[in-house]
Amino acid sequence: MKYAYEDLSPKQFEDLVVFLCKKLLGISVLGFPEGPDAGRDAKFVGRAELFPSKSAQWMGTTIIQAKHTNGYNRRFSEPDFFHSESIQNTIGEEIIRIKKLRDEKQLDHYMLFANRRLGSIAESQIRTHISKETGIPEESICLCGIEQLEQWLKIFPDVATHADLDPVDSPLIVSPDDLAEVVQALALQKDDISKILDAPPAPRIPYEKKNELNNMTAEYAAELRRRYLKETGQIKTFLAAPENADLLQKYESIVEEFQLKIIAKRKDYQTFDQVMEYLLDLLFGRDAALRQHIHKRLTRVVLFYMYWNCDIGEVGNAETF
């Protein structure tokens, strides 16, 4: 079974890795709680049961790291994860922590799991780099990407059950696919639409009242309005055009998904400012088209339009306003 690892929370992915390592190394693998972990997600001391093999088990202290991303089709070789000439990336930061553990004689072997794709060339380059920088023998380093993770979960199918991957515990996750199509189409027509517009659409309830209902801070709300209000009319006209009926259906599908998931996870965020910024970071992280410079600002405009138009967020009883 293939799992949508990108839809898990970091804690869920960490739990999955810990239970898998209990199979590979031994039942005494110790998982670490959420929060600052001093470079260790899990730890095993002793002789490994199955890893690397029954005839050549690791012996000593094994430190296990689990690195999770909500992005689609991410790779170990991407510069934010590994770059041999920089420490401003995941592997670079790990090396600093590994060195500290080695100096304290708390690490003999190292395992790094990530829900990213890992090709053979990248695996060799990264393993050699870690070994060179930390002094860990290459044979004492294990890098595990999605491909290897899938194979092990087929061998140990009960691991996912033990990890209790309950969707209720998953973070606020939305799909960027339809939104990317709407944003790209809007970008192509935006200049033509702006020539025929004078004023933005009126909100269904007073903006200040909606901000109060959703606990959006006054400063954040004012900045959104200042930057993006003048462009909301273009979006409304674009979606109302008969030739864009398919895109309107996609937009309606988007806001339905966003709204229902926001309602389900709203308690996890103190302010609606945090909801908006989290959604934007998630969308940019998951879709390359939305990350493009020409689409990034427009994505923010469309998300503001959803809020302004009362498609997302609490509206109370709009008929009383």
Side-chain angles (χ1 to χ4, degrees):
M1 176 179 180
K2 288 186 176 293
Y3 291 90
Y5 303 105
E6 66 274 5
D7 288 347
L8 300 178
S9 69
K11 182 63 168 60
Q12 287 177 313
F13 184 68
E14 179 183 320
D15 288 345
L16 184 70
V17 168
V18 167
F19 279 103
L20 176 59
C21 286
K22 287 179 181 288
K23 296 283 190 178
L24 297 171
L25 304 177
I27 195 65
S28 63
V29 167
L30 176 63
F32 286 76
E34 231 175 334
D37 62 1
R40 298 169 297 186
D41 277 342
K43 179 179 181 179
F44 175 77
V45 179
R47 184 183 298 276
E49 292 183 10
L50 299 176
F51 195 83
S53 68
K54 284 186 176 181
S55 61
Q57 302 110 313
W58 279 354
M59 180 68 187
T61 301
T62 301
I63 297 300
I64 305 138
Q65 269 283 354
K67 297 297 183 183
H68 179 263
T69 175
N70 290 128
Y72 287 135
N73 296 319
R74 305 302 294 271
R75 297 181 178 275
F76 272 70
S77 56
E78 292 176 10
D80 68 315
F81 197 81
F82 170 68
H83 193 294
S84 60
E85 303 300 323
S86 172
I87 62 172
Q88 302 301 317
N89 52 69
T90 299
I91 296 296
E93 293 170 355
E94 277 300 291
I95 285 173
I96 294 173
R97 290 193 284 258
I98 291 170
K99 286 180 177 179
K100 183 175 184 297
L101 292 171
R102 289 282 284 177
D103 290 344
E104 297 171 352
K105 301 189 183 305
Q106 295 185 34
L107 186 155
D108 297 304
H109 312 284
Y110 177 72
M111 303 182 79
L112 174 62
F113 293 78
N115 62 319
R116 294 169 176 260
R117 299 191 178 280
L118 178 61
S120 58
I121 294 175
E123 192 277 338
S124 178
Q125 289 177 338
I126 297 172
R127 186 157 45 85
T128 298
H129 180 73
I130 293 174
S131 175
K132 178 183 175 182
E133 295 295 323
T134 64
I136 306 175
E138 287 193 37
E139 59 270 21
S140 289
I141 299 171
C142 171
L143 305 175
C144 178
I146 289 175
E147 302 85 352
Q148 182 63 65
L149 193 57
E150 288 289 340
Q151 291 182 21
W152 278 335
L153 290 177
K154 287 179 181 178
I155 297 171
F156 307 111
D158 59 328
V159 164
T161 302
H162 291 309
D164 192 21
L165 302 183
D166 190 337
V168 172
D169 298 323
S170 297
L172 172 56
I173 296 291
V174 294
S175 171
D177 299 342
D178 286 347
L179 180 61
E181 188 171 341
V182 171
V183 166
Q184 290 177 84
L186 179 59
L188 293 174
Q189 300 184 34
K190 189 167 176 290
D191 291 339
D192 293 335
I193 296 171
S194 64
K195 296 174 184 177
I196 61 174
L197 292 174
D198 295 320
R204 285 165 49 193
I205 66 172
Y207 188 53
E208 292 74 15
K209 181 63 179 179
K210 172 150 187 174
N211 298 336
E212 181 184 338
L213 286 170
N214 288 279
N215 194 29
M216 179 180 283
T217 65
E219 182 181 8
Y220 187 81
E223 189 65 15
L224 288 181
R225 185 170 186 165
R226 183 182 72 82
R227 289 180 178 272
Y228 309 128
L229 179 61
K230 60 183 178 295
E231 298 177 63
T232 54
Q234 300 174 34
I235 298 174
K236 183 172 184 177
T237 300
F238 169 81
L239 293 173
E243 64 271 20
N244 292 329
D246 288 346
L247 292 169
L248 175 59
Q249 288 184 345
K250 289 183 183 295
Y251 175 84
E252 291 172 344
S253 175
I254 295 164
V255 295
E256 181 178 14
E257 178 190 6
F258 281 27
Q259 176 68 345
L260 291 175
K261 291 192 174 180
I262 288 171
I263 290 172
K265 299 294 181 180
R266 181 65 183 88
K267 66 181 186 326
D268 296 339
Y269 303 88
Q270 291 186 353
T271 67
F272 211 81
D273 313 22
Q274 293 173 314
V275 174
M276 296 283 279
E277 290 303 310
Y278 173 84
L279 284 172
L280 287 164
D281 289 343
L282 178 68
L283 292 166
F284 295 146
R286 300 190 113 191
D287 194 280
L290 296 180
R291 287 198 300 274
Q292 292 178 16
H293 178 71
I294 59 173
H295 296 145
K296 204 166 186 178
R297 183 179 186 280
L298 192 51
T299 302
R300 286 186 172 274
V301 174
V302 172
L303 193 64
F304 172 69
Y305 174 80
M306 292 179 185
Y307 181 78
W308 176 266
N309 201 50
C310 297
D311 292 323
I312 62 172
E314 187 177 345
V315 296
N317 185 354
E319 295 180 356
T320 64
F321 299 109

